[in-house]
Structure formats: C-alpha cells, structure tokens
C-alpha cells in the first residue's frame, strides 16, 4: 500500500467512524445471500432467480432521515437507456441541489471537504464546493455510443443504466437495489465470489452479486450495503479528486477494499464502486 493509499485509508476510516446514519445489519435490515450465482452474459442464458429476494427486511423509518429522503427523491429522475438524451427539469435540478445541501451538512461530507481543501483540491467556500460536486456528479455527458448527453456520474453509479436494453451498467447502490426489488423490477440471482476473494457475509457491508433489472442482466456488480448516501458520496468524491489512479486501495474498519473510480474527461465520474479484497482484523 502506497503512502497516499495509507493517507486516504485514514480519511476513509474517519468517514466510516462518523457515518452516523449507517444502518446495522441484522437490526435495521437483513439480507439473504442464498446461493452463488452462475455466470451468465445475457438474459438469453439466464437462470431463474435464486428463489427469494436479497432483502428480507429493511426498516424504512431510516429512510425518513433527511439525506435518505433527498437521495431517494432523485432516483426516479432518469431515463435508464443509454442513448436516450436526459432532460433535466427545473424541479429535478432543485432536487439535485437539495440533496447536495443536505449531505454537505453531515459529518462525513464536512470531513471530506476539510481534507480536500487542505489538499487544494476543492474550494473552501461551500457554494464553490457544491458547484464542484454538481459538476462531478450531475453534469450530463454522452456515454459511449451516444452523440447526445444521456448520462451522469450520479445516474450511472446510484441509479443504474441499461445498454441496448439487455445489459445493466453501473447500478452500485443498495437503496436503489432494495427499492427496485420491492417494486418487482429486480431478480436477485445470487452472490458472486472470485478466486482469492473472501466469502460474502450477511452481516458485512460489502457485497458482490448478480441480478437482472427490467430486461437487462448485471452479470456481476459490487455494492456497499447499509451505508448512508453521504458516506458513499464522500468516499467516491475523495477518491475521484485525490487520486489520478482508477483503482485505489483503502483499508478501514474490517475491510481491505479496492475503490474502482473511472474518470470521464477528467471532469466527471464515469463509474465508481467497491471491490472487497479481504477482511482484516481492526487495528
């Protein structure tokens, strides 16, 4: 682990310790891993779902917290098909700003902002910082194969998109997964585990999995589970702004993780998600 990775790990540990809205596995929510997913490329060689939903219980009272409410209000603002231009209405833009207003008041985002200011990576004034966050996450750009703005970092990472109607891309957020599963749009296929990676655990906060959404398949995705929207937003923003590398190693709590963070034109987040490398003993 490099010196910069160690420094970033210390910051992520601080974000983790201050994620006051994180939900507790087994208490605030329960997941049911069931079996391991078969490898599929498309819905044509699709297996039936594993049997039961991934989420067996979620205390939705937690979703009444301000940042959760503001986050959930954004999830229906997007057209999932890449290639279909996004139209952002004034109401949707206001919801984006309201979300940024709510998360920048949280301990996790305040810690991230302070660090980024110290590193001369973000403006000190809050208005400038929010403008920077808006550009990174919400400004539209044209994803591969499209000539018109049809995507954003937020849509790709937190909402999910489909390519050609058959493949799910992005979609790395547990709240969206739970809400879509509850609506009957998600068919959970099982957990994914690679050679050398640890077995998933229903009481841990990171999971690799396979699922179908609408008419598309996500052969393998990786998500945090139970964390707050502000934790993910702070973590991914930190990695995007502080590291030129598209893969960053961080260690925090019991997790040794690689954060994949693809830049789009150096101005926007293309995609970002966690990959669990191993569990470790907390220091």
């Amino acid at each position: 682990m490099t010196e910069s990775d160690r420094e970033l790990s210390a910051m992520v540990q601080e974000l983790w310790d201050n994620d006051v809205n994180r939900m507790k596995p087994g208490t605030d929510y329960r997941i049911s891993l069931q079996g391991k997913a078969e490898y599929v490329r498309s819905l044509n060689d699709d297996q039936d779902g594993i049997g039961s939903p991934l989420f067996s219980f979620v205390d939705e009272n937690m979703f009444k917290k301000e940042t959760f409410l503001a986050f959930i209000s954004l999830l229906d603002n997007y057209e999932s098909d890449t290639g279909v231009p996004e139209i952002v209405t004034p109401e949707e833009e206001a919801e984006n700003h309201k979300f940024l207003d709510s998360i920048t008041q949280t301990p996790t985002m305040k810690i991230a902002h302070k660090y980024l200011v110290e590193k001369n990576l973000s403006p000190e004034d809050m208005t400038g910082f929010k403008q920077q966050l808006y550009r990174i996450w919400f400004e539209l750009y044209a994803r591969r194969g499209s000539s018109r703005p049809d995507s954003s970092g937020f849509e790709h990472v937190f909402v999910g998109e489909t390519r050609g109607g058959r493949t799910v891309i992005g979609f790395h957020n547990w709240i969206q997964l739970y809400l879509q599963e509850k609506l009957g749009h998600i068919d959970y296929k099982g957990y994914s585990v690679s050679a050398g990676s640890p077995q998933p655990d229903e009481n841990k906060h990171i999971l690799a999995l396979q699922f179908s959404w609408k008419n598309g398949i996500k052969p393998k995705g990786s998500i945090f589970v139970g964390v707050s929207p502000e934790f993910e937003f702070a973590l991914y923003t930190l990695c995007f702004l502080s590291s030129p590398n598209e893969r960053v190693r961080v260690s925090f709590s019991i997790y040794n993780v690689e954060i994949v963070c693809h830049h789009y034109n150096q101005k926007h987040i293309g995609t970002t998600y966690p990959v669990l490398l191993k569990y470790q003993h907390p220091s």
Side-chain angles (χ1 to χ4, degrees):
M1 189 177 271
T2 66
E3 186 59 42
S4 62
D5 286 348
R6 272 192 287 275
E7 187 179 333
L8 201 55
S9 291
M11 282 308 306
V12 176
Q13 183 66 54
E14 205 176 333
L15 298 182
W16 183 260
D17 292 342
N18 286 276
D19 186 18
V20 293
N21 288 330
R22 183 167 63 248
M23 292 169 70
K24 198 169 176 190
T27 305
D28 299 322
Y29 70 91
R30 279 191 296 278
I31 60 172
S32 175
L33 289 174
Q34 299 157 79
K36 185 180 171 184
E38 301 291 320
Y39 182 74
V40 297
R41 289 177 186 277
S42 72
L43 280 179
N44 297 340
D45 52 13
D46 182 23
Q47 313 295 315
D48 281 339
I50 198 104
S52 301
L54 172 64
F55 288 94
S56 50
F57 165 74
V58 173
D59 180 0
E60 291 194 14
N61 283 319
M62 303 292 280
F63 291 176
K64 292 175 183 167
K65 294 187 173 187
E66 188 183 348
T67 57
F68 282 84
L69 274 177
F71 176 79
I72 290 167
S73 76
L74 304 182
L75 297 177
D76 63 357
N77 289 352
Y78 296 93
E79 172 58 58
S80 65
D81 246 353
T82 55
V84 178
E86 293 290 347
I87 308 296
V88 182
T89 67
E91 291 78 12
E92 289 168 353
E93 192 171 334
E95 287 176 342
N96 293 343
H97 287 294
K98 186 177 178 185
F99 172 67
L100 292 179
D101 287 345
S102 69
I103 63 166
T104 48
Q105 315 249 343
T106 63
T108 47
M109 281 304 287
K110 284 180 178 174
I111 290 163
H113 183 217
K114 182 169 178 282
Y115 175 80
L116 290 167
V117 170
E118 284 169 3
K119 293 289 182 184
N120 295 314
L121 294 168
S122 290
E124 187 167 0
D125 71 284
M126 191 50 74
T127 303
F129 182 49
K130 286 178 191 171
Q131 285 171 344
Q132 182 186 38
L133 292 174
Y134 201 98
R135 188 197 75 227
I136 292 168
W137 286 102
F138 292 107
E139 260 185 21
L140 296 175
Y141 54 83
R143 205 162 273 281
R144 192 183 77 195
S146 177
S147 57
R148 292 176 293 180
D150 63 346
S151 185
S152 69
F154 184 89
E155 178 187 7
H156 185 84
V157 174
F158 292 107
V159 184
E161 300 178 285
T162 53
R163 178 174 284 148
R166 310 298 292 166
T167 306
V168 176
I169 58 174
F171 205 134
H172 298 290
N173 179 255
W174 76 271
I175 298 170
Q176 169 73 334
L177 191 76
Y178 164 70
L179 293 172
Q180 289 292 306
E181 186 175 66
K182 190 178 162 189
L183 289 170
H185 299 322
I186 292 279
D187 192 9
Y188 170 61
K189 307 290 184 187
Y191 63 84
S192 301
V193 61
S194 309
S197 64
Q199 280 293 117
D201 185 321
E202 292 175 357
N203 291 308
K204 303 287 194 294
H205 285 282
I206 302 175
L207 174 65
L209 74 166
Q210 183 187 109
F211 59 92
S212 63
W213 179 46
K214 300 181 178 178
N215 297 314
I217 186 82
K218 181 79 177 175
K220 185 175 180 181
S222 191
I223 58 172
F224 283 105
V225 187
V227 300
S228 70
E230 58 267 28
F231 172 79
E232 288 194 80
F233 221 76
L235 169 65
Y236 295 146
T237 301
L238 264 186
C239 291
F240 175 79
L241 288 172
S242 62
S243 176
N245 303 320
E246 301 214 315
R247 293 176 178 269
V248 184
R249 287 277 295 269
V250 291
S251 295
F252 61 95
S253 180
I254 58 166
Y255 306 101
N256 192 310
V257 178
E258 187 173 67
I259 303 295
V260 177
C261 187
H262 291 297
H263 299 215
Y264 183 88
N265 284 350
Q266 300 307 311
K267 289 194 298 191
H268 312 295
I269 283 179
T271 192
T272 184
Y273 54 89
V275 176
L276 178 64
L277 301 176
K278 62 181 182 182
Y279 300 123
Q280 58 189 16
H281 297 295
S283 52

